[in-house]
């Protein structure tokens, strides 16, 4: 990857940044984080990273109405976070993007069940 000559030289003791994110990347990342900032929506994505579910099952698991789940799923589909496939008369929702799966796994590895930050795993020396 070519170095960006517009980036300042690293200060002593700090790593040089080879490529800062573009404005488009920053906007897209912020929009994705904003989309996942809703606890029910994040719960839906977490569930869908662990299997394919229909809207009724998701509504029961998250504890919100089918209509509300459908609205959340529409937003997630439009953003490309989840996909849907037809299975007879129902749609099954899934996460196909390994980056989304990794992001969701990482955040819940980082947050303990009581909501505090989980301790970092021990580092090998």
């Amino acid at each position: 990857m070519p170095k960006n000559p517009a980036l300042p030289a690293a200060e002593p003791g700090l790593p040089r940044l080879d490529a800062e994110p573009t404005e488009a990347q920053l906007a897209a990342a912020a929009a994705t984080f904003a989309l996942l900032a809703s606890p029910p929506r994040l719960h839906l994505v977490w569930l869908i990273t662990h299997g394919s579910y229909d809207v009724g099952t998701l509504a029961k698991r998250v504890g919100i109405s089918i209509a509300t789940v459908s609205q959340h799923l529409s937003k997630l589909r439009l953003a490309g976070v989840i996909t849907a496939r037809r299975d007879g008369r129902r749609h099954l929702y899934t996460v196909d993007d390994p980056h989304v799966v990794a992001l969701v796994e990482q955040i819940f590895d980082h947050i303990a069940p009581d909501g505090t930050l989980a301790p970092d795993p021990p580092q090998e020396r």
Side-chain angles (χ1 to χ4, degrees):
M1 178 176 291
K3 299 210 184 285
N4 184 343
L7 291 173
E11 293 180 32
L14 296 177
R16 171 153 171 81
L17 301 175
D18 287 335
E20 289 192 37
T22 65
E23 290 297 321
Q25 286 175 308
L26 291 167
T32 301
F33 283 121
L35 187 65
L36 297 176
S38 158
R41 206 173 293 144
L42 184 57
H43 192 177
L44 289 168
V45 173
W46 182 88
L47 286 166
I48 297 168
T49 63
H50 290 85
S52 297
Y53 296 99
D54 64 31
V55 68
T57 302
L58 291 167
K60 286 178 192 169
R61 294 288 299 268
V62 178
I64 57 180
S65 72
I66 289 175
T68 302
V69 169
S70 291
Q71 290 176 352
H72 286 308
L73 294 173
S74 289
K75 290 178 182 181
L76 292 164
R77 282 182 70 192
L78 283 172
V81 173
I82 65 170
T83 58
R85 66 176 169 81
R86 198 161 192 76
D87 181 37
R89 293 176 44 168
R90 62 190 184 144
H91 283 93
L92 294 178
Y93 297 90
T94 188
V95 174
D96 295 326
D97 186 339
H99 297 100
V100 173
V101 173
L103 179 68
V104 171
E105 286 176 351
Q106 286 286 317
I107 194 59
F108 287 105
D109 285 347
H110 186 64
I111 307 288
D114 67 0
T116 61
L117 295 182
D120 288 333
Q123 299 274 332
E124 290 188 28
R125 294 181 189 229

